Amino acid sequence: MTKDYIVKDINLAAYGRKELDIAETEMPGLMALRKEYGEAKPLKGARIVGSLHMTIQTAVLIETLVDLGADVRWASCNIFSTQDHAAAAIAAGGTPVFAIKGQSLEEHWDYLDKSFMFADGPNMILDDGGDATLYVLLGARAEAGEDIIPVPASEEEEVIKAQIAKRMKASPGWFTKVRDQIKGVSEETTTGVHRLYDLHKKGQLPFPAINVNDSVTKSKFDNKYGCKESLVDGIRRATDTMMAGKVAVVCGYGDVGKGSAASLSGAGARVKVTEVDPICALQAAMDGFEVVVLEDVIDTADIFITTTGNKDVIRIEHMRAMKDMAIVGNIGHFDNEIQVAALKNHKWTNIKDQVDMIEMPSGHRIILLSEGRLLNLGNATGHPSFVMSASFTNQVLAQIELWTKGDAYGNEVYVLPKHLDEKVARLHLDRIGVKLTQLRQDQADYIGVGTDGPFKPEHYRY
Ligand code: NAI
């Protein structure tokens, strides 16, 4: 049989398997779903193309989807986030995966294309950041002779267009056929969800979508507590810098910003925050952080982290004004938060994988992490298993919902119902010894909820 995977080294599979075994003990939500649905196989017939960081935690997600009956093919959604031993374990287990840590942009889009290559094409998408969805929709638009919608990460635009042209030449009509047989997409992250709502607003969403990010048990946990653990982990593995006493600036105080600021302050850094939203700025101030504008701290701070999901937040003029050896990194989804493209003509010295020192015209140097791509996955191993279990339990529930009841959904963006959100949380309590109080009937009546939930109205914000 020809080899249907691309990984760095298949001999890493045994190491990956050992880490997978450990991760399973920290992912009670996914393991509970295997127990609940493993026999019924609700995903039987589903051919899921996954585009999500190929980590150990994702490997447990993939094996859960397979356990529930799905056929799966996988690519990573970031060129630096793959854990090669995790990819090897998945490939050795028989699931086609196309992901290597440090793959080029051209390889990235080629690997995504390969992950679509089921004999009959995929019928479900599991996305993180929207690249898999984007690929199909852009390709179908190109086949219809329409303009290609703008791609946020513009540096990639040419690469994507070339990949689409290659596929169109090899298999005319392929994108349109695939688009028409996709029953739904579940989307992992804030940035991908923005894209989906935008597509829906423009009347261009051709299938139902579930916004996994805005399950409470995803964004209020993974984005926040996940980054609280993984941001400083990434900075330390990259630089070994002393964190205590340093001045760190966190741009953005949404869920990721809150976790990032907590991460840095937990390590002893003196944290300042920038925000555009008065509500989040007020939250930052009342959490004890000084809220500043970037220009006022640009030449005094030691560490700069972007968490906004926006573009051009740290620009070339900012980096030129930074003090010598300032550390610059991004934990938002795309690399355009920092104007890395504008640094291309500067002198780069590679220190090690995903760590570069760049010299400014003044002679000052900055340390840039993961070329401006999300540093917690590029320089470290992303979030710990436990919090990813909550995220991925939502993913699996979303896939089951779309696959088994997709016809009941319109071509809109939905979030999972609150009772499932509460179920995800409930599945994670035992592992950390949490004991819930049981609501009495008279108390439940008094506050107007069921004794077994849902415990909050839809408008409650947690
Ligand atoms: P969010 O919308 O909750 O927070 C972003 C914040 O940035 C908002 O409060 C917004 O007002 C602020 N902001 C926007 N433009 C700004 C500017 N120019 N200056 C200062 N602040 C600005 O979004 P969330 O959930 O925090 O996600 C942020 C990014 O992180 C997204 O790209 C998301 O996809 C990504 N993400 C990354 C993870 C990782 O592990 N690296 C995990 C989860 C999300």
Side-chain angles (χ1 to χ4, degrees), residues 189-191 223 254-256 275 280 307-310 331-333 376 383:
T189 199
T190 317
T191 288
N223 303 26
D255 292 321
V256 169
E275 250 298 344
C280 298
T307 77
T308 67
N310 205 342
I331 194 168
H333 191 78
N376 59 330
H383 300 345

Side-chain angles (χ1 to χ4, degrees), residues 348-363:
W348 287 54
T349 306
N350 182 252
I351 308 297
K352 60 180 180 181
D353 286 351
Q354 285 83 54
V355 182
D356 293 285
M357 186 169 70
I358 301 158
E359 195 174 315
M360 299 296 133
S362 66

Side-chain angles (χ1 to χ4, degrees), residues 46 66 76 96 108 111 126 129 225 228 242 258 275 332 338 352-353 402 404 423 456:
V66 170
S76 192
H108 179 74
Y111 294 173
L126 193 158
Y225 302 112
K228 188 173 170 191
M242 179 82 180
K258 288 178 177 73
E275 250 298 344
I338 301 170
K352 60 180 180 181
D353 286 351
L402 288 168
T404 58
K423 172 178 173 165
K456 296 288 192 297

Side-chain angles (χ1 to χ4, degrees), residues 31-351:
M31 300 316 280
L33 292 188
R34 288 191 197 179
K35 221 166 153 185
E36 183 176 347
Y37 295 110
E39 248 172 60
K41 308 251 177 269
L43 292 176
K44 194 165 187 300
R47 299 187 298 276
I48 303 171
V49 50
S51 165
L52 195 153
H53 311 290
M54 185 54 249
T55 63
I56 288 288
Q57 294 70 32
T58 302
V60 181
L61 166 65
I62 292 171
E63 294 196 338
T64 304
L65 295 168
V66 170
D67 198 54
L68 269 54
D71 273 340
V72 177
R73 296 175 69 87
W74 213 266
S76 192
C77 62
N78 183 284
I79 60 174
F80 293 139
S81 64
T82 296
Q83 291 160 22
D84 292 314
H85 62 323
I90 287 302
T95 297
V97 51
F98 307 89
I100 295 179
K101 188 177 181 76
Q103 63 202 22
S104 69
L105 272 180
E106 286 75 13
E107 286 164 342
H108 179 74
W109 287 92
D110 176 48
Y111 294 173
L112 181 65
D113 178 78
K114 288 187 164 51
S115 70
F116 275 79
M117 294 301 139
F118 293 87
D120 299 318
N123 50 27
M124 295 288 291
I125 296 177
L126 193 158
D127 226 350
D128 182 347
D131 281 355
T133 306
L134 185 84
Y135 187 52
V136 182
L137 299 194
L138 288 185
R141 285 177 72 84
E143 283 175 354
E146 290 170 37
D147 269 357
I148 285 197
I149 49 176
V151 178
S154 59
E155 188 200 346
E156 289 185 36
E157 201 165 312
E158 292 312 312
V159 182
I160 301 170
K161 282 184 179 160
Q163 178 59 51
I164 288 174
K166 216 162 102 187
R167 176 51 55 207
M168 282 170 70
K169 196 163 165 224
S171 344
W174 178 86
F175 285 107
T176 310
K177 180 180 155 236
V178 169
R179 181 197 63 192
D180 293 348
Q181 70 186 33
I182 296 289
K183 287 193 70 166
V185 54
S186 59
E187 168 56 54
E188 174 81 1
T189 199
T190 317
T191 288
V193 159
H194 284 165
R195 281 186 179 179
L196 288 172
Y197 283 109
D198 192 44
L199 282 169
H200 177 249
K201 206 166 79 195
K202 292 180 180 143
Q204 293 172 351
L205 185 65
F207 34 70
I210 292 186
N211 162 0
V212 167
N213 183 66
D214 287 294
S215 287
V216 180
T217 48
K218 200 285 181 179
S219 50
K220 299 296 171 187
F221 290 82
D222 164 329
N223 303 26
K224 184 179 168 189
Y225 302 112
C227 292
K228 188 173 170 191
E229 307 245 346
S230 63
L231 173 66
V232 161
D233 187 15
I235 300 172
R236 285 198 204 282
R237 293 200 207 193
T239 66
D240 296 313
T241 197
M242 179 82 180
M243 217 65 77
K246 293 275 164 61
V247 174
V249 182
V250 174
C251 301
Y253 202 69
D255 292 321
V256 169
K258 288 178 177 73
S260 299
S263 186
L264 290 158
S265 91
R270 290 174 288 157
V271 179
K272 302 184 187 215
V273 168
T274 72
E275 250 298 344
V276 293
D277 178 338
I279 296 177
C280 298
L282 189 59
Q283 284 180 313
M286 294 185 70
D287 283 342
F289 300 113
E290 193 183 340
V291 183
V292 297
V293 293
L294 194 51
E295 288 72 16
D296 288 349
V297 289
I298 203 70
D299 55 350
T300 49
D302 304 284
I303 301 169
F304 296 87
I305 304 296
T306 51
T307 77
T308 67
N310 205 342
K311 65 177 183 124
D312 299 331
V313 175
I314 294 183
R315 296 184 293 279
I316 183 69
E317 63 267 27
H318 294 133
M319 290 183 276
R320 288 195 170 151
M322 285 174 187
K323 70 181 191 191
D324 192 32
M325 296 305 276
I327 295 168
V328 183
N330 164 47
I331 194 168
H333 191 78
F334 283 121
D335 58 339
N336 54 351
E337 299 207 25
I338 301 170
Q339 280 184 344
V340 177
L343 293 170
K344 288 295 173 212
N345 317 328
H346 294 59
K347 181 176 166 215
W348 287 54
T349 306
N350 182 252
I351 308 297

